Structures are given as C-alpha cells and as structure tokens.
Amino acid sequence: MSGRMRLAVCAALATLAAACALLPLVERTGWLLQAALLLAVQTAVGVLGRRVPLARPLTVAAQALAGLLLLTVVFAGSHAVGGLLPGPDAFREFGQLVQEGAEDVGRYAIPAPATTGIKLLLVGGVLVVGLVVDALAVTYGVAAPAGLPLLALYSVAAGLAKDGTDWLWFLVAAAGYLVLLLAEGRDRLARWGRVFGGGPGGSGFAPAGSAPAPVRTGRRIGALVLGIALVVPAVLPAMDSGLLESPGRSGGAGGGADGVTSVKPLVALQDSLRQPANREVMRYRTSTANTRDLYLRIVALDQFDGSSWRSSERPLTELPAELPTPAGLAPDVRADLVNTSVAASGSYAQNYLPLPYPAERVRADGRWRYEPEGRTLVGDRGQTTRGLRYQVSSLLVEPTAEQLAEAPAPPTQVLREYTKVPGSLPPVVARTAREVTAGSASAYQQAVRLQDWFAVDGGFRYDTEVDSGSDGQAVAKFLKDKRGFCVHFSFSMAAMARTLGIPARVAVGFMPGTPQADGSVSVGSKDAHAWPELYFEGAGWTRFEPTPSRGSAPEYTVSQQPSAVDPGAPSPVPDRSAAPAAPPSADDRCTAQMKKQGGCAAPAERADGGGASDGGLSPGAVAGIAVAALAVVALPLLPLLWRGRVRARRLAATAPRRRGRAGGGSGPGETPAGQGGRDAGVGGRHLA
C-alpha cells in the first residue's frame, strides 16, 4: 500500500472515529455501517483520482460527485434517473427528507429513532466531513487543519449527548486524529527523505533533539483542536441531553435541573395530525365515567411574541409526593378526585408526562422533575415516556356557568403576566375581539362568545394542511382566511382573550381518546391537540374548546350556546382507528399533497425507531450498491490508468541508462548515497 493510499485510509478512519460520537443520539447503529460503506467508496474515488493523476480540484470534485451519486442511490433511488443520476425529482426528495429530518430532530428526545430523514442528515454529514478531511490531509497534504472538521463533528455530538460517556468518544475521536497525523508524517518522510529544519539560513538538518517544523506545527494545531474539543461541549448548555431545546434551568432551593429537555410540541402535534394512520400512543383506565373532559395535558405555553407561543423558562424542582393545591381553585367549586392508570406505547417517546389537569399525585418510575407554574412533569437526563406505566390522581374541576360569570378579578400578578401582548400584534386582532364580544356582561361571557365564534358562528374550517405560520401576521392571516387546525384556533383565541384583559395561555396534549370494549381508553396520534386555558378566580385555569370538529365543548360553556346541537356543525369526534396500527415501513413517505388526496399507501411509523430495514436497504444491499457505484465511477478512468501504467514501465526500463549518462560513466559507486536516495525518492514521486 502506497503512502498516499495509507493516508487516505487513515483519513476515512479518523472521520468514522469522530462520527462514533453520534451513536448515542440515535437508537439504531445501522446508519454508521451505511456511512462507512459510502465513505469507503468516496475515499476510493479520491485514491483513483490522485493515481491518474487528476488536478487537485478535479479530484475533490470527483469525490463530491461520487458522494452525491451514492446518497442518491441509497435515499432517493426511486426518484433518480436510471436509479443513479439525480434529477429534479431526486433533489425534491432530498429537500423533503432534509425537512423531515430537521423536524424529527426537533421532535424526538435522545436517543431518537433512526428515521430516514435523520439517517440522511447523519450519513450525509459524515460524507461531507470525510470529503473535507480527505481533501485537506491527502489531496493537499496538510493533515493538521483536518482536525477542525473532525472537531466540528465531535463537538456537535458531545454537546447534544450528555450521557456520561463523552470522554470515551473523545478518546476515540482524538485517537483517530492522532493516527492521521502520524500517517501524514510518515508519508512526508517516505516521499522526501530527511526533513530539513528551519534553522538560520533556511537550510541544514534539524538540530538534534528538536522536532521538524511541520511536526511542531502539527503539534500546535493538534493541541489547539483537542483543547477546543474539551471546551466547546462544556459551553453548550442549551443542547443538554437531547436533540432538542432546554425548557429551563432550575434554581433556588429547588435544586438543579441540568439535563432536562423537551420536545417542540407544536411540530410534533401538526405532524401527528397529518399522519394517515391513527397510531396508538397510550392507553389508560380511569375511575370517572366522564372521560369527555379527561384531556391529557403535556405542557402549557405562556409566552406570546405575536406569532407563536412557547413555554417560559422556569425553575424545576424535585417531584413532591403531593402536588400543591391548584392556583385559584376555591372550595365551593366542584372538584371530584379521579384516579387514572396510564400505559404509554413503546413507540411514544416524549419528555413531558401527559397528565390530567390538575394532577394531585403522580407515581412514575424514572427521573421526573416538576415545574410548579404549569404543573408539568419533565424528564431529566433523557428520561422519556417510552413504554412507561404510571398512576395519576387528579381533580375533575366542574365550575358552573354562574360561578365563572361571577368570578372576581384575577390577582394582579396573574393579570400582569398572562395578559401581555406584543406591540407588533396587528390591531385587527384586538378590534375583532371587541367586535365579537360586544355587549358581554363579564369576562366569562366574552370567553364563551369567542369560543362560539371560532367553533360555530364565524365560518371557520378545520384544515391540518395549513401552515402554522411563524411571522407577526400569522394570527391576522388566520382570522382572514378562516382555515386552520387546533394550533391556529387555540393561539388566536388565547391572543384575543389577552387583548380583552383575560389571562390566557395555550395547553398542548391529547384529547380523551376512544373507549374500548375492555373498559380502557385508547389515545392515538390523531388525538394530539392544543386548546386555550383562561384563568377565572375560583376555578383557576379553565379549558375552552374553539376548534370545530375537535374535542368537546365544556359543560360550563354549552348553556351559552344558541342550541345544544348545531346541525350544521361537523361531527365532534374525528374518525379514529380502534386498534393500534401495524408498524409499517419507515421508508414510506408521503408529501402533504399526497396525504391530502388520500394517495398514500402503507403509512409510515415515525416513532418506533425502525428495524434493520429502517433505511429501506439492508447492509448487504448497500454494499452491493456501493460496489456498483464504484465500478461506474472507475470505468471511465481505466484507459487513463492503463496508459499511465504502460508509461511507467517504459520510464522504469530506460531509467538505468539515463542515470549512467548523467554520471559521466563513473558508475553507481561514485554517486553519494544520500543523493541517490533523494533521486530515487523524487523519481518515485514522478512515476506515481
């Protein structure tokens, strides 16, 4: 094996060593084998390109093209021209997969399932880093700076996966980088003979006991890279314990909450509603017969910036044996105790624990912490609901319409915090709220009129294909178009309530689900929901239901509606599958338009992590495809390689005669040994 080929192999191994730090982020490890096979082919293309030899930029371009072809075959083969060449359809497929992968990163906790989108991001990232490392270390012969892309790969992984084994992956990545430096140094010595030092005069051998200049430079850069690799993960607090964002840090007497993560609930909610299959996420049994009001709440969103809602960053505490009395609940308001046992599906991994609101006692195994203001439980250091069984004692609060209508003014602190609206909110939002609620005698009547306007009277239509919106005009646009799903309805009603001076926030979770013949209740992915919670002193945070055809309007609001049943309103219960859907292939993906038209067959199971065929191809098939792709890339180079080989043999045959003429017939014995070694080295390099 030549020195350059050995260096290329070491570059690929160093890339894979750094990529090993990504293993804790994903449940399955098959993606790393895929990445290794594709990286081997990409590296082989570089070896062939340098052997021809091609110009350096052309070698890098050939490797990039090979990597693109490989990714096309593995991830978008059905959309490629001839199954290999990427065309417009293949690039659209790549765009969709990248978008799905980014959404999956924002949805799942660590370890995330190896969905096709996530695998594309992982494998594609490894190929890009491998290309940069190979170009720097082998094609351009500067191995020390190649540690920077390796550092980037390791740092992202280490910053995300705070699982206590960071030091192990650091050692693996560092070992790969050091092996690359050693191979590069050996290759330099093999090609140039003794390394000249950088002493005065610019010539002469390096002084005894001192390192050559290239080695000293490599040491400095290596020390800098390894130092940054230790520091960078330590200064990434927002990335602790997950692929997701941190909901907040605890402080004060409650102790720390390092490592607590959350999903981005609205991304997961819209994705769940758009799935064609109603995948079961949990089952529960409860002591109450009134399951229509037993919503399972995950998180409360209380910060409104004019376009979206999010959770405040609040301190987290240890989970108490008895949760505090709910804020604002008066003794004269009816509140029945309900006991519920929940069994979460093995395919449902959520950092927040779904709970009936307000919970009083929770018994759940694992590491769970408590956020008092939202009364939510958050998983600590990667704790999720996957396969969890837990028990909850909660209150079913049932205020009367009269109690809500006569509720006194909320506390000043609640008013100040939960009626904030940004100055960027379009004036049409507050103006519409006043028009809809004109003539109301109380805040309660205003809330009921808002609910009725959205759900019945305003001409709104439920549509999950409408984008949730992310700009300051999102609410105003929804009020104009009157099309959206639960996110739009809950966001808009809460925002309008705040403009009227009613404390409001948005809850995200699940509707009660579908009762089963065995007495249990099945909650599916299509039961994912968002609803507004408005604060009334005496009842506390109170649920409203403005979304048409979803959920059920609370009893304390029905009496204010024109009639108990509106014949023109859609059915209040969406179609659901009574049994859990069979796990289909994760490679089956539907565009939003295909889902809307019902053109999707075999719906994709996005949360089960997949099996060996999660990426759609087995390792053996990937190996065969990789060999075929290598053959396709190598065939055009064979004539050039053959001509180069013939030319090398001819030059080797005439080399003794040329050396004899150059030496004046004095013979090889009169040639200095050092000079002959250098001539051979240069000649070898020329022939290579």
Side-chain angles (χ1 to χ4, degrees), residues 206-207 209-216 219:
S210 66
V215 177
R216 291 197 301 273
R219 288 177 180 174

Side-chain angles (χ1 to χ4, degrees), residues 52-77:
V52 168
L54 295 176
R56 290 174 176 177
L58 291 179
T59 299
V60 177
Q63 289 181 278
L65 177 60
L68 177 60
L69 293 177
L70 293 170
L71 291 175
T72 301
V73 171
V74 175
F75 292 98

Side-chain angles (χ1 to χ4, degrees), residues 309 485-495 506-507 530-532 546-547:
W309 291 74
F485 60 104
C486 56
V487 168
H488 300 87
F489 289 95
S490 58
F491 279 19
S492 300
M493 179 172 171
V506 175
W531 60 93
T547 306

Side-chain angles (χ1 to χ4, degrees), residues 246-427:
S246 173
R249 297 273 179 184
S250 67
D258 290 348
V260 177
T261 58
S262 67
V263 298
K264 296 175 181 176
L266 299 180
V267 176
L269 187 154
Q270 185 169 11
D271 183 76
S272 296
L273 295 177
R274 287 179 172 178
Q275 287 184 6
N278 187 33
R279 172 177 49 88
E280 184 177 73
V281 296
M282 69 186 76
R283 286 203 181 201
Y284 67 85
R285 294 179 181 272
T286 182
S287 62
T288 180
N290 181 19
T291 58
R292 67 189 300 272
D293 291 324
L294 200 68
Y295 280 54
L296 298 173
R297 189 169 166 279
I298 294 176
V299 64
L301 313 178
D302 55 358
Q303 292 292 313
F304 180 49
D305 62 7
S307 61
S308 62
W309 291 74
R310 62 180 177 83
S311 298
S312 297
E313 295 187 359
R314 301 183 186 275
L316 303 177
T317 67
E318 296 295 332
L319 176 61
E322 290 263 349
L323 274 59
T325 301
L329 184 59
D332 59 338
V333 173
R334 180 177 177 179
D336 297 330
L337 184 64
V338 177
N339 294 315
T340 307
S341 298
V342 186
S345 168
S347 65
Y348 176 61
Q350 167 67 257
N351 292 87
Y352 286 99
L353 194 65
L355 301 171
Y357 183 86
E360 283 203 325
R361 289 187 302 275
V362 181
R363 295 189 299 276
D365 295 333
R367 300 178 298 272
W368 296 96
R369 300 181 69 83
Y370 177 60
E371 194 278 286
E373 182 68 20
R375 299 181 72 87
T376 57
L377 266 62
V378 189
D380 190 6
R381 296 191 297 276
Q383 175 67 52
T384 71
T385 58
R386 187 185 302 278
L388 183 69
R389 294 177 178 270
Y390 57 100
Q391 293 78 42
V392 186
S393 295
S394 61
L395 296 176
L396 186 60
V397 181
E398 298 178 301
T400 64
E402 291 73 16
Q403 287 173 325
L404 294 175
E406 298 171 0
T412 303
Q413 178 61 30
V414 174
L415 278 172
R416 182 185 304 115
E417 183 171 359
Y418 292 98
T419 58
K420 292 180 181 177
V421 291
S424 60
L425 187 67

Side-chain angles (χ1 to χ4, degrees), residues 27-28 104 107-109 111-116 118 268 271-272 275 279-281 345-350 384-387 525 583-586 603-611 614:
E27 289 178 342
R28 307 287 180 174
D104 291 341
R107 178 186 306 114
Y108 297 115
T115 63
T116 307
I118 288 180
D271 183 76
S272 296
Q275 287 184 6
R279 172 177 49 88
E280 184 177 73
V281 296
S345 168
S347 65
Y348 176 61
Q350 167 67 257
T384 71
T385 58
R386 187 185 302 278
S525 57
S585 169
E605 178 73 15
R606 297 294 302 277
D608 65 354
D614 190 21

